[in-house]
Structure formats: C-alpha cells, structure tokens
Amino acid sequence: MSIKTTLTLAAVATGLGLSGAALAASHGDDHGHEERAERALVILTSDSLQTQGMAMILANAMQQQGTTLQILLCDAAGDLGLEGYSSEGINTPPGHPMEQVTPEAIMQMMMREGASVDVCAIYLPNSDHGEDDLREGVGVAAPGPMAEMMRDPTIPVFSF
C-alpha cells in the first residue's frame, strides 16, 4: 500500500471516527447510562457493496469509540478476507476527504488498530480457497468460541 493510500485511509478513519463520536455525543444517553460496550461482534454475510461498506464504517466508528472488535466474515462477505481481493469503491458523502473507500481497506485499517477478523468455519471448505489464500491476520473462526461470544450478554452482536 502506498504512503498516499495509507495517509488517505488514516484521514478517512479519523473523519469517520470523529463523525461517529460527534453523533454519539449529540444524542447522549437518555437513560443516564455511561457504559459503552467494551467488546462487540460484527457478523457480515451480505454480498452488497454498500452493506459491506456501511458495516465497516460503523465498526470503525465503534472501534474509534473504544470498542474491541471481532469481525466474522461469512458467505459472500468472506471474500473480503482473501489476499488480493479488491472490491469497487464506495462513494463517500460530499466534503469527505476521500471520494471513495472500499470495505476491505477499512477492514484492514481496523485490523492494524487491533480488530480481529475471521472467516466462518464453513467458508473455506465451500469455496475454491484455502487458509493460504487469506489476508495476513485473517483467521478461521472456531464455532465454539464464536458461540460463546454470541451467548455472552455483555457482548453485543451486529449482523449485516
């Protein structure tokens, strides 16, 4: 990745994170609760480019607000975890520092900031790919630990 791309992604992350923080601050908490989820599980299955992009944008905003993320890529979204996979860019709102972003670029940025990313346990056996085809840092989810996270009432689960 070029330095220009890296710096641009950093600007996007900052802009997305600050937008999310401003939105959260403007809404406040009507119930007087100050707690935020420390961990979250994001499950992405959609093949829709806009859904994939929005899932990553929202996950990035959560991470910017201090949430430790576990991202699970299943079905068509598992392709985001493949080395060399490149989706089309998604247009950003007017005034954004970048004209376009890709879901996998946001995902990789979040991984550099500590997000864990796995493909579903059945993704590879039902594709033409093996573990060697996954991006560096992307793993294969084990059903037991994933089920534990899903059952844990302190870990919110977001599905796209």
Side-chain angles (χ1 to χ4, degrees):
M1 187 180 306
S2 73
I3 187 72
K4 182 178 177 183
T5 303
T6 302
L7 291 173
T8 305
L9 285 173
V12 168
T14 301
L16 292 173
L18 292 175
S19 299
L23 182 62
S26 71
H27 282 94
D29 187 349
D30 297 335
H31 303 292
H33 297 134
E34 294 298 321
E35 290 183 35
R36 297 276 189 237
E38 291 183 21
R39 296 175 63 195
L41 172 60
V42 175
I43 301 173
L44 180 55
T45 62
S46 178
D47 63 349
S48 165
L49 183 61
Q50 287 187 32
T51 300
Q52 290 177 354
M54 199 66 228
M56 293 302 167
I57 288 168
L58 292 171
N60 180 63
M62 285 191 290
Q63 187 179 48
Q64 293 291 322
Q65 294 171 13
T67 302
T68 300
L69 295 174
Q70 173 68 50
I71 300 172
L72 182 61
L73 305 172
C74 301
D75 202 9
D79 293 349
L80 295 172
L82 296 173
E83 185 64 47
Y85 176 80
S86 181
S87 66
E88 296 178 36
I90 302 167
N91 294 327
T92 59
H96 194 274
M98 288 182 63
E99 288 183 31
Q100 293 189 332
V101 294
T102 63
E104 66 274 11
I106 299 170
M107 179 188 77
Q108 289 178 289
M109 180 184 59
M110 288 187 296
M111 289 173 67
R112 285 191 295 277
E113 296 297 321
S116 297
V117 177
D118 292 311
V119 294
C120 286
I122 61 172
Y123 173 75
L124 294 175
N126 289 287
S127 74
D128 295 331
H129 304 287
E131 283 192 59
D132 292 345
D133 296 322
L134 295 175
R135 294 180 191 273
E136 184 177 334
V138 174
V140 178
M146 238 356 102
E148 284 182 33
M149 285 187 74
M150 293 173 74
R151 293 180 63 235
D152 187 331
T154 66
I155 301 175
V157 178
F158 303 93
S159 182
F160 297 88

